[in-house]
Amino acid sequence: MLSVGHLYETTARLAYAVNGAYPSSSFRVRPAYVRAINTLRPPELPAELGGIKVGYEDSPWVAHCKTNGIFAHIVGPATASDGPTREEWDRQIIDALDLIRKIHPGLRQMVDLVVTDIIAVNSGADGGGSANTMPGIVLMSPGAGWGVLDYAMCIVHEALHSSLFIMDTVYGMFTLPPAELEKDEHCALSAVKIGQKRPLHAAFHAAAVAVPLMYMEYREGGGELVTQYTTSLRDACKDMQTSRGLFTSYGRLLLDEMSRWAEADPIDFSQVARAITSREFAGYQPEVAA
């Protein structure tokens, strides 16, 4: 799930399906990905081949969200930002990207592969958003008290959501469409919104993105999220296992991998570090799960 090698392979398959050509090397996966998602994004909002572009509340992506009712809780209350505010956002985002590389270069590779734009707005929502209808976009509403680690975790959080969208598109994780999974009988506990039930696909995403956040905080010497999410992640995995029949074989592979990690006592963060770049996790069928 967090394997960079697996993400590169999966993204290459997406690019092949859309572009009709398979990237000839790992260095060509990002350009191929950009060409693929540019067929899915509005023609007036193309992704750029290299780097991550930063935008603000006057970005056309914010107008796109408002027009299409996407992340209304973030873009709706967004207010105008001045020059010093934007400069601070820029500095924090640059420092956050550097911190992600410091924590684990593989996490930065994941971000650099799938994220094309970070849109920062001042809305008081204190969080972020990403959507499968907006590939490459990370929407961010920084909290007033956010430090560099908060920015870094928000970027990785949304990058993994984007990665899961790619994996679900290429391989399929569930046997029912999203509209069916949103029915009450198919809801499961959220690892992040503790105690709440969410549609099964949303609950799975929430559990998956909790893992790198716990790992990042652990690496930086913190413990609040690790303590908070350890129990909720275990509960979420157990609850999702009761809906095992609604997962495809690929989805069950990811769910089982995450469940085994969450059930360990104590949590083994060295496995997360190894999984990110180890070749044994990189293929469609990871050797460790075979």
Side-chain angles (χ1 to χ4, degrees):
M1 179 178 65
L2 277 172
S3 167
V4 174
H6 179 60
L7 178 60
Y8 265 75
E9 177 185 337
T10 306
T11 305
R13 293 187 181 196
L14 173 70
Y16 174 75
V18 176
N19 302 335
Y22 197 85
S24 59
S25 72
S26 62
F27 299 104
R28 297 184 183 273
V29 176
R30 162 73 181 211
Y33 164 73
V34 168
R35 286 195 295 274
I37 65 173
N38 277 345
T39 68
L40 307 173
R41 288 163 56 141
E44 68 276 13
L45 297 172
E48 297 179 0
L49 286 178
I52 297 174
K53 182 179 179 181
V54 178
Y56 315 99
E57 77 283 343
D58 54 357
S59 164
W61 279 109
V62 172
H64 175 82
C65 287
K66 289 181 178 179
T67 300
N68 293 278
I70 303 171
F71 299 123
H73 68 292
I74 297 177
V75 299
T79 58
S81 56
D82 57 21
T85 299
R86 294 185 177 191
E87 289 175 5
E88 177 64 10
W89 283 339
D90 290 351
R91 184 187 68 80
Q92 294 274 26
I93 289 170
I94 291 170
D95 289 349
L97 291 170
D98 289 340
L99 178 59
I100 293 167
R101 186 187 303 279
K102 171 180 169 285
I103 291 173
H104 198 302
L107 288 179
R108 177 63 189 272
Q109 281 183 282
M110 175 183 70
V111 170
D112 287 342
L113 177 61
V114 302
V115 176
T116 63
D117 302 78
I118 296 175
I119 312 299
V121 299
N122 185 23
S123 72
D126 296 5
S130 53
N132 59 355
T133 57
M134 296 167 52
I137 304 300
V138 169
L139 194 62
M140 176 189 293
S141 177
W146 276 20
V148 176
L149 180 60
D150 297 294
Y151 280 82
M153 289 197 294
C154 181
I155 293 169
V156 170
H157 176 123
E158 301 304 340
L160 182 54
H161 274 306
S162 298
S163 300
L164 290 168
F165 291 140
I166 294 171
M167 296 173 192
D168 198 11
T169 299
V170 174
Y171 303 124
M173 294 181 183
F174 302 96
T175 60
L176 294 176
E180 288 294 318
L181 294 174
E182 290 172 4
K183 292 182 177 179
D184 289 345
E185 62 265 31
H186 299 321
C187 288
L189 286 171
S190 170
V192 177
K193 296 183 178 180
I194 298 173
Q196 295 185 29
K197 290 263 190 174
R198 300 187 67 192
L200 186 59
H201 56 305
F204 179 79
H205 268 248
V209 299
V211 176
L213 301 188
M214 294 167 68
Y215 170 72
M216 292 174 74
E217 187 190 67
Y218 167 80
R219 282 292 308 274
E220 287 300 290
E224 183 178 349
L225 282 183
V226 173
T227 301
Q228 183 179 1
Y229 286 164
T230 294
T231 299
S232 64
L233 179 59
R234 288 171 179 159
D235 291 343
C237 287
K238 288 177 183 176
D239 201 22
M240 286 187 288
Q241 287 285 358
T242 66
S243 299
R244 187 178 177 78
L246 299 179
F247 287 82
T248 64
S249 59
Y250 178 74
R252 291 194 296 271
L253 183 151
L254 298 181
L255 176 62
D256 290 347
E257 178 186 306
M258 182 167 57
S259 297
R260 282 193 294 270
W261 182 78
E263 289 165 4
D265 190 12
I267 292 287
D268 183 5
F269 287 104
S270 68
Q271 184 181 3
V272 177
R274 182 167 60 90
I276 293 172
T277 51
S278 175
R279 296 175 73 90
E280 64 187 327
F281 288 86
Y284 169 77
Q285 179 73 21
E287 294 174 16
V288 294

